[in-house]
Every structure is written in C-alpha cells, then in structure tokens.
C-alpha cells in the first residue's frame, strides 16, 4: 500500500501464469518519485493559486500612443503556463525562475569541485588510563604524555580519492557506517578542523580551500545528521533568518528584500509541510518543540534557503 498522495504512473501487469523463462513482474512498493504536495497538498494548491494570480496580474499595454500601432501584449512567460497548470511542477517553476533571471541578466553563482589524491588522516583512538596521585608525579608518565603529544597515533580515514563534480551535478556517496562517508562530505564542504591532516588537491573551480574559508564560506555548506538549532526560535524564525542572511542583492521583477524573503519562506514551508508548525519552537531535549521528522525538514529547508 502506498502512502496517501502517491500514485504509480503505470500499473504493473502480472501474468496469470508465470513463464518458466521469466519471473512474474512484481509491483514496486517504492514510487519512482515523490510529488511536491506529499507533505502539504492544501498548501501547495494555495501556492499554485497564488502564483496563478500573480501571473495574471502582469500589466500589458494594449493601446498605443497617437500615430503608433498598438503594442502587443507581453508574451506570457513560462511562469503563467507552468504555475497555472492543474498539476504544479516545482522543478519546472525553478527552471522558469532561472530563465527569468537569465532574461534580466542576473548572474548565478556556481561552483564545481575537483579533488585529486585526497587523503584524510585522523587521530586514532586508544585506551586511556585514569591518572592517580602516583602517576601525576611519575617521570615515565610525563615522558609518555609528551611523546603522545609530539607523535599522536594517526590512521588514514580516506586515501587515494579523486573525482570531479561539475556545477549542477549530484554526487551520491554510499558506504557502510564507519567507512568515511561523513568524512568525505565534510572534506568536500571544507570542514577540516576536526582532522589531523588533509592532504591532496581540492579545488573549487579556481578557488582554493583557503579562499573559500575566508571569502566564500556561505557558498559551500554541510548539512549534518544531527539537527542543531536554536531551541527557543520558531520554525518560521529559523528559516527566515537563514533566508535573510543570503538574500541576493539583485532580484528580478523589482522585488524588495521583504517580498523575496516572504516568497521563499512561503514556498519552503508549504513544500516541506511545515505551515502548521511555523509558530512552534524548534525545541531540543529540554524544550518541547516539533517532532524529529519536522526538525529534519527544518534543517533541509534551512540549507536550501542559503542558496549554497
């Protein structure tokens, strides 16, 4: 049984008698895609209606001046055709926004990453003994502590990694727990402080990791597994703050900063099904807040709002 709102595009045909040369086809229990209105069908429907009204409100000049033929109405952009459809396609809407930005010569910031002979070294864990009064003044213990500080026990977490991720591409990292997947993602996101050494070449187009850390830190981020937020802030305040910190200077259609922030906030809240919890605090172990699934959706929406 599929969750509400999910439908298969094609029904699987199961033969009455299975062929000896071919096993009977089985209907897949997992859908090929998740619709954009999976979390909040009502909110996405209202969002589609709002965008339709905005597309119909574009002023046009149907009558020309004296001695000038009437000016043809502006051709409807793809927003009016895409957003006004019965089935709201969020990916097509994003492509339309990119097209409108290109028409108004608004440049998008893109970064690709190249890594060659990547090696990450971590400090190995070893047994530690609780110091006693005698061990504190034991010269042998002091010598062992100094030796451990000068030559810490290290081991390779990653070794010999190389690859290219172009702008617009997605890199899928698969591995069992403890194989270094999180280490690899943190290294590509330029978070190296917790490791003993990171060797090899990592380039973000023409920028080095030092340039990214100093000048373009907001363009490369890492969304961790743990959802760490300010527990006393509401869902709306958390996402809105992230949007305000990365609002672009140049916006299409003469949008103000407030209009841009409100539109992005409304889209993210509706798509991730967080409208009902927008005034609820995020919370933590001590403060009651949203559920674990909603908190993870807040983290993803916060990362998307940063336009990294």
């Amino acid at each position: 049984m599929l969750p509400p709102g999910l439908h298969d595009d094609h029904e699987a045909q199961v033969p009455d008698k299975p062929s000896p040369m071919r096993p009977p086809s089985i209907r897949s229990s997992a859908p090929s895609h998740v619709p954009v209105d999976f979390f909040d069908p009502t909110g996405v429907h209202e969002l589609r209606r709002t965008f339709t009204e905005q597309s119909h409100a574009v002023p046009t000049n149907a009558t020309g001046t004296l001695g000038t033929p009437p000016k043809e109405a502006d051709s409807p952009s793809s927003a009016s055709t895409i957003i006004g459809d019965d089935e709201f396609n969020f990916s097509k809407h994003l492509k339309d926004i990119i097209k409108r930005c290109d028409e108004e010569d608004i440049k998008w910031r893109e970064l690709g990453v190249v890594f060659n002979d990547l090696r990450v070294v971590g400090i190995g864990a070893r047994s530690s003994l609780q110091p006693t009064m005698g061990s504190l003044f034991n010269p042998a213990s002091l010598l062992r502590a100094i030796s451990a500080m000068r030559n810490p026990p290290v081991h390779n977490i990653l070794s010999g990694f190389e690859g290219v991720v172009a702008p617009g591409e997605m890199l899928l990292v698969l591995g069992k727990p403890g194989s270094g997947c999180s280490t690899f993602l943190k290294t590509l996101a330029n978070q190296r402080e917790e490791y003993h050494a990171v060797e090899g070449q990592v380039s973000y187009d023409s920028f080095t990791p030092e340039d990214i850390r100093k000048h373009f830190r907001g363009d490369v981020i890492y969304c961790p597994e743990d959802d760490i937020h300010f527990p006393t802030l509401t869902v709306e305040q958390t996402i809105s703050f992230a949007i305000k910190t990365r609002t672009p200077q140049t916006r299409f259609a003469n949008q103000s900063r407030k209009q841009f922030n409100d539109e992005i906030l409304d889209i993210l809240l509706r798509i991730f099904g967080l409208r009902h919890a927008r005034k609820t605090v995020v919370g933590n172990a001590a403060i009651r807040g949203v559920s674990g699934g909603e908190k993870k959706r807040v983290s993803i929406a916060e990362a998307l709002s940063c336009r990294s």
Side-chain angles (χ1 to χ4, degrees), residues 9-265:
D9 296 334
H10 302 282
E11 293 291 339
Q13 298 179 356
V14 181
D16 297 336
K17 295 181 179 180
S19 172
M21 300 298 296
R22 184 185 63 181
S25 60
I26 302 176
R27 182 173 179 178
S28 175
S29 61
S32 58
H33 66 279
V34 177
V36 70
D37 58 349
F38 176 73
F39 293 110
D40 191 358
T42 304
V44 174
H45 176 72
E46 295 177 359
L47 185 65
R48 178 171 63 245
R49 184 174 57 187
T50 302
F51 284 154
T52 305
E53 294 175 355
Q54 291 179 359
S55 64
H56 292 334
V58 178
T60 57
N61 184 11
T63 58
T65 57
L66 182 62
T68 305
K71 181 181 178 181
E72 295 182 358
D74 295 336
S75 59
S77 62
S78 55
S80 60
T81 58
I82 294 175
I83 300 173
D85 290 342
D86 294 334
E87 296 295 335
F88 173 59
N89 193 319
F90 184 59
S91 62
K92 290 184 180 180
H93 177 55
L94 292 180
K95 293 179 182 178
D96 175 69
I97 293 179
I98 297 176
K99 179 181 178 181
R100 293 169 63 185
C101 291
D102 293 339
E103 292 174 353
E104 299 188 17
D105 197 22
I106 299 177
K107 302 299 182 182
W108 290 79
R109 300 173 63 167
E110 296 180 341
L111 277 180
V113 59
V114 180
F115 50 96
N116 182 32
D117 196 20
L118 180 62
R119 177 171 175 259
V120 180
V121 181
I123 298 179
R126 65 176 186 177
S127 61
S128 65
L129 302 178
Q130 183 70 21
T132 61
M133 185 62 67
S135 63
L136 290 177
F137 300 99
N138 188 354
S141 299
L142 296 177
L143 293 177
R144 284 195 297 267
I146 295 175
S147 177
M149 294 177 58
R150 298 182 58 183
N151 301 304
V154 297
H155 69 285
N156 292 335
I157 304 177
L158 301 176
S159 179
F161 275 60
E162 60 181 12
V164 178
V165 183
E169 290 185 348
M170 179 179 292
L171 174 64
L172 176 64
V173 182
L174 299 177
K176 61 182 181 180
S179 60
C181 295
S182 299
T183 299
F184 179 65
L185 293 176
K186 289 181 180 180
T187 304
L188 293 187
N190 204 28
Q191 295 189 6
R192 308 183 173 195
E193 292 78 10
E194 59 183 285
Y195 303 108
H196 179 71
V198 177
E199 302 175 357
Q201 180 183 6
V202 180
S203 300
Y204 303 88
D205 286 352
S206 59
F207 299 105
T208 63
E210 290 74 16
D211 296 333
I212 295 295
R213 185 177 65 254
K214 292 179 180 178
H215 307 290
F216 306 102
R217 182 178 296 182
D219 287 13
V220 182
I221 66 173
Y222 171 72
C223 187
E225 299 177 4
D226 299 330
D227 303 314
I228 302 175
H229 302 282
F230 290 103
T232 57
L233 294 182
T234 64
V235 173
E236 180 180 6
Q237 292 172 338
T238 301
I239 302 178
S240 178
F241 177 78
I243 297 174
K244 291 178 181 178
T245 57
R246 295 285 291 174
T247 303
Q249 294 291 338
T250 306
R251 298 170 293 275
F252 60 87
N254 296 325
Q255 277 185 324
S256 64
R257 293 181 65 92
K258 186 178 185 306
Q259 291 175 343
F260 178 87
N261 296 337
D262 292 343
E263 180 178 345
I264 299 300
L265 175 63

Side-chain angles (χ1 to χ4, degrees), residues 243-300:
I243 297 174
K244 291 178 181 178
T245 57
R246 295 285 291 174
T247 303
Q249 294 291 338
T250 306
R251 298 170 293 275
F252 60 87
N254 296 325
Q255 277 185 324
S256 64
R257 293 181 65 92
K258 186 178 185 306
Q259 291 175 343
F260 178 87
N261 296 337
D262 292 343
E263 180 178 345
I264 299 300
L265 175 63
D266 188 54
I267 292 176
L268 292 176
L269 289 177
R270 292 179 187 271
I271 289 179
F272 286 98
L274 296 171
R275 284 193 311 150
H276 65 282
R278 64 186 304 164
K279 299 298 183 181
T280 306
V281 296
V282 178
N284 57 6
I287 302 176
R288 183 180 179 85
V290 297
S291 63
E294 291 171 341
K295 188 177 296 185
K296 174 57 67 176
R297 279 181 269 158
V298 171
S299 301
I300 299 175

